[in-house]
Amino acid sequence: MPFNIAILGASGYTGAELVRLIATHPEMTIKALSADRKAGMQMAEVFPFLRHLDLPTLQKIDEIDFAGIDLCFCALPHATTQQVISALPRNLKIVDLSADFRLRDAAAYEKWYGQPHAAMDLQAEAVYGLTEFYRAEIAQARLVAGTGCNAATGQFALRPLVAAGVIDLDDIIIDLKAGVSGAGRSLKENLLHAELSGGTHAYSAGGKHRHLGEFDQEFSKIAGRPVQVQFTPHLLPMNRGILATVYVKGDPSAVHETLASAYKDEPFLQVLPFGQLPSTRDIAGSNFCHLGVVGDRRANRAIVVAVLDNLTKGSSGQAIQNANLMLGLPETTGLMLAPLFP
Amino acid sequence: MPFNIAILGASGYTGAELVRLIATHPEMTIKALSADRKAGMQMAEVFPFLRHLDLPTLQKIDEIDFAGIDLCFCALPHATTQQVISALPRNLKIVDLSADFRLRDAAAYEKWYGQPHAAMDLQAEAVYGLTEFYRAEIAQARLVAGTGCNAATGQFALRPLVAAGVIDLDDIIIDLKAGVSGAGRSLKENLLHAELSGGTHAYSAGGKHRHLGEFDQEFSKIAGRPVQVQFTPHLLPMNRGILATVYVKGDPSAVHETLASAYKDEPFLQVLPFGQLPSTRDIAGSNFCHLGVVGDRRANRAIVVAVLDNLTKGSSGQAIQNANLMLGLPETTGLMLAPLFP
Amino acid sequence: MPFNIAILGASGYTGAELVRLIATHPEMTIKALSADRKAGMQMAEVFPFLRHLDLPTLQKIDEIDFAGIDLCFCALPHATTQQVISALPRNLKIVDLSADFRLRDAAAYEKWYGQPHAAMDLQAEAVYGLTEFYRAEIAQARLVAGTGCNAATGQFALRPLVAAGVIDLDDIIIDLKAGVSGAGRSLKENLLHAELSGGTHAYSAGGKHRHLGEFDQEFSKIAGRPVQVQFTPHLLPMNRGILATVYVKGDPSAVHETLASAYKDEPFLQVLPFGQLPSTRDIAGSNFCHLGVVGDRRANRAIVVAVLDNLTKGSSGQAIQNANLMLGLPETTGLMLAPLFP
Amino acid sequence: MPFNIAILGASGYTGAELVRLIATHPEMTIKALSADRKAGMQMAEVFPFLRHLDLPTLQKIDEIDFAGIDLCFCALPHATTQQVISALPRNLKIVDLSADFRLRDAAAYEKWYGQPHAAMDLQAEAVYGLTEFYRAEIAQARLVAGTGCNAATGQFALRPLVAAGVIDLDDIIIDLKAGVSGAGRSLKENLLHAELSGGTHAYSAGGKHRHLGEFDQEFSKIAGRPVQVQFTPHLLPMNRGILATVYVKGDPSAVHETLASAYKDEPFLQVLPFGQLPSTRDIAGSNFCHLGVVGDRRANRAIVVAVLDNLTKGSSGQAIQNANLMLGLPETTGLMLAPLFP
C-alpha cells in the first residue's frame, strides 16, 4: 500500500514539481496539499498542467489532519518554515525544501539569513539532504533539510576532490549559470519575460550569495579546515537548469578519475568521458546530474562542469530521493523519468 | 514479460521521443534501434539526454534481426518509408510515424506529396492512427499510420462538431501556432535559433500545407460530403507545442457540450469549463490534449482552442498509445507522465 | 534649434522607447521626464540601457515647468491620463499614448473601459493618431491620441479593403499574435519568464479585448455602417512584435492590389509581392509595417498578414511620427532606424 | 559628400549588421555588396529586414568596380579572406572583420588556425582593430583587422589592469557567456532553436578557443612578458550579447579605479559605479560596452564583468568606428544608436 504524503506550500514551483513527480511514483499517494493564500482552490486552478490528476483541495496548514500522513514535504518560504515545522507532530517524517535547516551552526545561519534561528532543537536532529553523501543518516532521519540547488551543483563537482586532496583548497572558483525557476514564482521586475529573455547578468557576486553558507560548512567539514570558495551566479534566459563551471588547481586526470571513481555506482550522477562537457538541455526535468572534466592548456589546472535541473535534482527530485530512503523504498523509485529534450 | 520493440529512425526527434517514453514504459523493452547514417554509434552520442539508459547500438535497418521483435515503430522520413515497410516481415506489427500511409486515396497522396504511392497494398491494410476515433480498428491492425501533429490537433477540436452537425461545414478556419520541433532536426536556415527566436511568421498559408490532405479525408468522411477547411500554420519561438485556434459558425454552448460529451471518458482529452482557454505550457512533454471553447460577441460564432505536444500526443505518444492497443495492453500504459512546467 | 520635449511616464516601456528614439532624433531634445513613484532617480537607474545619455532627472508631473516645452508625450496608464492632461497648459501640444482619447463616443469609452469619460471637452479636440489615415488632422491638432498597438496592426491590414469594398464586411477575422512588451512592465504572474517562455495561449477571446472599440469605431466610420470584426489575441514568447493574420472574403488579387496601391507612397508601410508573407523578426525595433497577401485554395478568400513592432510603429514610433507632423517636421525625421536582426 | 562603401560578404550576420548601421550613417553610402553564392539577388531577399533600403544588387567580388570606392568592409569567412584582400586594389582602404590579419606572428596564426598564413606582406601593414587602444595607428592604416568579439570583450575588461600592474598576471580566468549570432548563419545542429533554446553548455574549454591567440598576443605585448589567461566560453540561448566574467587577483578598488580612469573619456566604454554589475540586455544592438567591478569576500580578489554586443561593438560597430577614423570622420559618427530594450 502506498505511503500517504502531505505537501505544504503546493502553490510554488517546488511544490508543483513534487506533485508532478509523485503523479507517477508507485509508492506515494498525495493525501493533503496546503497553500495558505489559495486554500479552497483546486490545484488545476493554480497549475492547469496538473489538471489530469485527482488531487486533494488546497487547505491551510492548520486544517490538515496529519493523523494518517506518513511523510510531509515542506516547500515553504525561508524563515517561516522553522515555525511551521516546530508546530507539526513530532513523529511525522519531514523533508524540508527551504533553507531553514541546512546550516548546522546557529551563527552561520544568522549571518547568511539575517535573523536568529528559531528552532535550534529541530536543527539538532536535521540531516543535510545531499543524498549521495548522507545516505545512512537520511535513512534514519526524521527531518531532512534539502540543499540549495546551486549548493548541490557545486558540491557534486567538488566534494570528492576536496576529500581526496587532489586540488588546491584555497583557489576554487565556481562560476554558475542558473535558469529562472530557481527564483520561484515571485513577482519581481527582473523575472519578467521582457526583462530576462535574450540576455544575461551576474548577481550576488563577490561572496554575497546565501548558498555560500552551505559550501563553507560542507567543504570545511570534509577538509577538516576552513575552505572558502569564490562563487558567482548568473541568471540565464532559460527556465530550468544549472551549469556550474568550476575552476580548480590540480591534475586534470586525477580530478576526472576521482570523480569517476566516486560516482561509478551512483544511479543519478553521470561522469562523462574525460574531455567531454555536459549541457543543461540533457538533464531537464530529470533527477540526473552530468559532470565533465577538461584540462587547461596551463599545467595543473582543471575545469569541472556540472549540470542538473534545479527543480528536480536540485530540490524536489532530491527531496523524493531522500523520502524514498526515509520510507525504506529503493532510492530511485519514481525518479527514473528521462529528461525532456528538445 | 515485456514486449520487444524496434525503432527505425532513432536519430530524429520523434525517434528520441519514443525512447524517452519507453524508458519508463513497464511493458516495452527496446531491442533494436536503427539510424542509417549513424550506424555503429551509441544513442548517448546522438542524444546525450538518454545517457542513463542501457540501449542497443544503432544499426542499419538491414542489420536488424526482426525475429524476436513484437512491434516496430517506424520514425523515418516521408517517401522512403513506403519502401522500408514493404521490405519488413509481413507478420510484424508496425506503427508508422511518417506521412506515407495516412491518406487512403492514392490520388490524394500524389497530390499532396508530389509522387505516386509506392505501396498501395500496404495502404489497404493501414489504419489511420487517431486513437480516440479508430480504437477498434487499431486494436486489430497490423499497420497503423500515425497522424500529422497539426492534423491531430485540428481533428480533436473539430471531429465531434462535424459529426454532430452543430457547425457550418463550409466556413471553418484553423489558425495554428506550432513549435519548432515539428520541423525535425533538419538543418534549415529558418530553424536556427538566431533566425527563429523572438519572432513569428505564417507559412504554407492559403491551402498549401500537406496536413490538409488529412483534414479533407477525415472531415469529408465524417460529414458524408466534401469539407474543405482553411488552414494557416505559424511557426513560434518555442520547441514543443501546438495551439490551434478554430473559428466555427454554430452555437457556442452546443459546441462546448458536444466536445465535453464526446470526450468525457477520454483519459487524454480534457475539455475545460466553457469560457476557459488552454495553454501549450500545460501539456508540454505529455500525452494530454486540452480543449477550450468560447463564444464570440457575434451570435452563432464559437472559437475552439486545442493544445497538444506535437512530439508526444502529436506523434510519439500517440504511437505508443496505438501500440498499447495493438499489443493488448491498457491504452494509457506508460503514458500518464505529467507535463513539464515550467 | 531642436524642439523641447517632455515625456510623462518615462519609467514604462513606451516611455523608454520614446527616449530611445529621441536619442538620435535630430530635431528633438528631452527637457523633462516624469515618473511619479521614481521621482528623483536618474533614467540610468530605471533603464540602464539609456546610461550613455545625458537626461533630466525624473520628476513628479507637478514639478515640471512646461513653460519652454514645445510638445509633451504622455505615456501614462489608462484612466489617470484624462485627469493629467486636463491639468496641463492648454496651449501645449500633446501626443497621448494611452487609451483615454481614442474613442470619440463617450458610451463606447464607458463600455470598453468600464468607467465614464472624465474629459469629454478634450476628447472633442483629440485626433485619432493613425498617421497614414489622419495626416491632415494630426498636422493641425493640439492633442493626438495614439492608437492601440493591436488596433494599428489590424487597421493597416484592413482599412483600404473596407474603404474599397473589396471584402465582405460581415465576415472578418483577426487572429493576432503579440509579444509580451505590449503588456507593459507590470508584475503579473503570467508575464514571468518561467510562465511565458516556451509556450502560447489565447486571451480576451470572443470579443472582450478593448481594442475592439477602435476597430468598431474606425471600420464602421469608413464603411458608413456598423462593422464588427472577430478578434482573438494570443500571447507569444517574444518581447516585441505583433503579427495579425486576417481572414477576409474577397478576391485575393483585388485585396493585394488595393493594399499595394493604397500604400505605394508610404515610407513605413511595405506591401510584399503577392504570395509572400512577412515576419515580425524583420521589423523589430523599427517603425516599419510589412504586409503580405495570399489567396486561399477556396475561391474568394484571402489572408492578409501584417507585422509591426508594438513599441515602435504600434506606439512610441507612431507617437514621434505624429509629433513630427505637429511640429512641422518631415514625417520620417528620426524614424528611419533599420530593424534589429537577428 | 558621403564616402562610397563596399561590403564583401553581405549575406552573413556581420555583413547585414554593417548595412543596418550604415543605413543611418550620415557620411557613408553603400555602393557595392558582394555575396558570391547569392550574386544577382537583392538584399531584401536575403535579409527582408533591410527591405526599406535602396541597396545595390548582390554581386560576385570580381564583378565589383572598386574605382570609386573609398573604403571596403570585408566580412568574409576566415582563410579565404587572405586571398581576396590580396587581390584588391592596393590603394583601397580596408576594414577586415575576419580573423585573417589579427595575429602578427605567422607561427601563432598557423597554430591557432591550422594553416600557414598566405599573405604575410599584408599582415605587416595590418593594424589590430581594437579602436580604443590603437587609435593613432588605425587613423593612418590602410588595412585594419577587426578583433574577435570574445577577444574584444576580454580585453576591455583587462588591458588597463595588465598595463597598470594591479593584478596577478599568472592567474586570470575569463569565463565568457556568448549569444548565438557569434557563430554566424551557418547550418549546424547545435545552432538550431530546438537544440539551443532553454539550455547552456561550455565549449572549446581548456585553452582551445582561437581567440586565445589574440589574448596571448595583446596581453603579452602590454605586459612585456608572456601572459596566458584561462578562457572558457559558454553558448547561451540568446541571439546577441557577450558577458565576460573575469576573475583576477588584485585590490578591487584599484581594479575599479584603473578601469574608470582609463575609460573616463571613452564614448563607448561605460564603467559602472563600484559594486554594480552590467547586463547584456542593456547594450543589445549598440556600440556600447558596460563594465562593472566587485570585490570578493576573500581579500585581494576582484571580479570584472564586461558586456557588449558581439555583432556591434564586437565586430560591425567596431569596424565602422575604425572606418570613421580611417576616413577622418568623428569616431562616433553613425554609432550613437541607443540599445534596444526590451
Side-chain angles (χ1 to χ4, degrees), chain D residues 33-319:
Chain D
L33 294 168
S34 94
D36 270 25
R37 278 175 300 181
K38 296 184 172 163
M41 291 177 72
Q42 300 302 316
M43 273 300 266
E45 298 171 84
V46 181
F47 287 114
F49 81 98
L50 298 170
R51 168 181 298 279
H52 65 290
L53 297 172
D54 186 21
L55 293 168
T57 301
L58 290 166
Q59 296 175 278
K60 289 180 183 295
I61 293 171
D62 54 19
E63 295 168 355
I64 295 177
D65 176 8
F66 287 97
I69 302 296
D70 295 297
L71 185 141
C72 176
F73 292 102
C74 191
L76 297 166
H78 306 323
T80 63
T81 299
Q82 289 166 1
Q83 282 73 22
V84 168
I85 294 184
S86 294
L88 293 179
R90 286 285 156 152
N91 63 332
L92 189 65
K93 288 182 197 293
I94 298 169
V95 179
D96 181 31
L97 286 79
S98 85
D100 274 13
F101 296 99
R102 292 171 187 166
L103 300 183
R104 286 182 286 270
D105 180 58
Y109 179 85
E110 187 163 347
K111 171 184 165 194
W112 289 106
Y113 291 91
Q115 56 191 0
H117 200 286
M120 283 308 293
D121 57 326
L122 286 170
Q123 180 62 64
E125 62 168 313
V127 175
Y128 189 66
L130 200 68
T131 327
E132 285 77 2
F133 296 94
Y134 286 90
R135 264 196 189 95
E137 297 92 323
I138 289 166
Q140 304 302 322
R142 187 187 76 86
L143 170 59
V144 170
T147 74
C149 52
N150 300 319
T153 317
Q155 289 181 68
F156 287 134
L158 280 165
R159 288 186 74 117
L161 308 180
V162 173
V166 296
I167 59 170
D168 179 349
L169 298 181
D170 292 320
D171 225 347
I172 299 169
I173 293 175
I174 303 174
D175 187 284
L176 188 133
K177 295 88 177 165
V180 67
S181 63
R185 209 179 197 182
S186 46
L187 295 180
K188 294 177 187 163
E189 206 166 70
N190 71 322
L191 303 182
L192 293 174
H193 188 278
E195 308 272 330
L196 187 75
S197 68
T200 189
H201 65 275
Y203 66 98
S204 297
K208 299 190 195 75
H209 196 286
R210 289 166 165 181
H211 289 182
L212 278 167
E214 293 173 65
F215 285 136
D216 289 356
Q217 167 181 286
E218 295 297 310
F219 294 144
S220 299
K221 181 184 164 203
I222 301 168
R225 59 102 154 163
V227 175
Q228 283 200 320
V229 302
Q230 279 191 270
F231 172 45
T232 311
H234 301 74
L235 193 57
L236 262 62
M238 59 191 203
N239 286 344
R240 286 175 177 251
I242 292 176
L243 181 145
T245 311
V246 184
Y247 296 91
V248 294
K249 291 181 176 161
D251 178 62
S253 296
V255 166
H256 184 260
E257 278 161 30
T258 302
L259 288 172
S261 167
Y263 297 152
K264 69 177 190 299
D265 297 325
E266 289 297 342
F268 297 120
L269 309 184
Q270 308 253 326
V271 180
L272 311 195
F274 185 74
Q276 288 187 18
L277 292 170
S279 164
T280 62
R281 299 167 194 92
D282 293 326
I283 48 73
S286 84
N287 207 49
F288 297 100
C289 171
H290 289 187
L291 298 115
V293 178
V294 297
D296 192 64
R297 59 174 180 164
R298 298 189 57 184
N300 208 44
R301 299 189 183 209
I303 299 149
V304 185
V305 181
V307 297
L308 55 72
D309 183 323
N310 53 296
L311 287 181
T312 319
K313 186 59 174 161
S315 62
S316 301
Q318 178 199 77

Side-chain angles (χ1 to χ4, degrees), chain A residues 111-112 169-177 194-208 212-213 215-216 227-232 234-240 242-243 245 247-249 275 277-281 294-298 301-303 305 307 341-342, chain D residues 111-112 169-177 194-208 212-213 215-216 227-232 234-240 242-243 245 247-249 275 277-281 294-298 301-303 305 307 341-342:
Chain A
K111 171 185 166 194
W112 289 107
L169 298 180
D170 292 320
D171 225 347
I172 299 170
I173 293 175
I174 302 174
D175 187 283
L176 188 135
K177 296 87 178 166
E195 307 272 329
L196 187 76
S197 69
T200 189
H201 65 277
Y203 67 98
S204 296
K208 298 191 196 74
L212 278 167
F215 287 137
D216 290 357
V227 175
Q228 283 201 320
V229 302
Q230 280 191 269
F231 172 45
T232 313
H234 301 74
L235 194 57
L236 262 62
M238 59 191 203
N239 285 344
R240 285 176 178 250
I242 292 176
L243 183 145
T245 310
Y247 297 91
V248 294
K249 291 182 176 160
L277 292 170
S279 164
T280 62
R281 298 166 194 93
V294 298
D296 193 64
R297 59 174 181 165
R298 299 189 56 184
R301 298 188 184 210
I303 300 149
V305 181
V307 297
F341 177 91
Chain D
K111 171 184 165 194
W112 289 106
L169 298 181
D170 292 320
D171 225 347
I172 299 169
I173 293 175
I174 303 174
D175 187 284
L176 188 133
K177 295 88 177 165
E195 308 272 330
L196 187 75
S197 68
T200 189
H201 65 275
Y203 66 98
S204 297
K208 299 190 195 75
L212 278 167
F215 285 136
D216 289 356
V227 175
Q228 283 200 320
V229 302
Q230 279 191 270
F231 172 45
T232 311
H234 301 74
L235 193 57
L236 262 62
M238 59 191 203
N239 286 344
R240 286 175 177 251
I242 292 176
L243 181 145
T245 311
Y247 296 91
V248 294
K249 291 181 176 161
L277 292 170
S279 164
T280 62
R281 299 167 194 92
V294 297
D296 192 64
R297 59 174 180 164
R298 298 189 57 184
R301 299 189 183 209
I303 299 149
V305 181
V307 297
F341 177 92

Side-chain angles (χ1 to χ4, degrees), chain C residues 179-312:
Chain C
V180 67
S181 63
R185 209 178 197 184
S186 46
L187 296 180
K188 294 179 187 162
E189 206 166 71
N190 71 323
L191 303 182
L192 293 174
H193 188 279
E195 308 272 330
L196 187 77
S197 68
T200 189
H201 65 276
Y203 67 100
S204 297
K208 300 190 194 72
H209 197 287
R210 288 167 165 180
H211 290 182
L212 277 168
E214 293 174 64
F215 285 137
D216 290 355
Q217 167 180 288
E218 294 298 310
F219 295 145
S220 300
K221 180 184 163 204
I222 300 168
R225 59 103 154 163
V227 175
Q228 283 201 318
V229 302
Q230 279 191 268
F231 172 45
T232 313
H234 301 75
L235 194 57
L236 262 63
M238 58 190 204
N239 285 345
R240 284 175 178 250
I242 292 176
L243 181 144
T245 310
V246 184
Y247 297 91
V248 294
K249 292 183 175 158
D251 177 62
S253 296
V255 165
H256 183 260
E257 277 160 33
T258 302
L259 288 171
S261 167
Y263 296 152
K264 68 177 192 299
D265 295 325
E266 287 297 340
F268 297 120
L269 309 184
Q270 308 251 327
V271 180
L272 311 195
F274 185 74
Q276 289 187 19
L277 292 170
S279 164
T280 62
R281 299 166 193 93
D282 293 326
I283 47 75
S286 83
N287 207 49
F288 297 100
C289 171
H290 289 188
L291 298 116
V293 178
V294 296
D296 192 64
R297 59 173 179 165
R298 297 188 58 184
N300 207 44
R301 298 188 183 210
I303 301 150
V304 184
V305 181
V307 297
L308 54 73
D309 184 322
N310 53 297
L311 287 182
T312 319

Side-chain angles (χ1 to χ4, degrees), chain B residues 80-165:
Chain B
T80 63
T81 299
Q82 289 166 1
Q83 281 74 23
V84 169
I85 293 185
S86 294
L88 293 180
R90 286 284 157 153
N91 63 330
L92 189 65
K93 289 181 195 293
I94 298 169
V95 179
D96 181 32
L97 287 79
S98 85
D100 274 12
F101 296 99
R102 292 172 187 165
L103 300 184
R104 286 182 287 270
D105 181 58
Y109 179 84
E110 187 163 349
K111 172 186 166 193
W112 289 106
Y113 290 91
Q115 54 191 359
H117 201 286
M120 282 308 294
D121 56 325
L122 286 170
Q123 181 63 64
E125 63 168 314
V127 174
Y128 189 66
L130 199 69
T131 327
E132 285 77 3
F133 296 95
Y134 284 90
R135 265 194 188 99
E137 296 93 324
I138 290 167
Q140 304 302 324
R142 188 186 75 85
L143 170 58
V144 170
T147 73
C149 52
N150 300 320
T153 318
Q155 289 181 66
F156 286 134
L158 281 165
R159 287 185 75 116
L161 309 181
V162 173

Side-chain angles (χ1 to χ4, degrees), chain A residues 14-15 22 34 60 80 89 120 122 136 162 187 191 202 206 224-225 256 260 267 278 306 310:
Chain A
T14 55
I22 295 176
S34 94
K60 290 181 183 294
T80 63
M120 282 308 293
L122 286 169
V162 173
L187 295 180
L191 303 183
R225 60 99 153 165
H256 184 260
N310 53 298

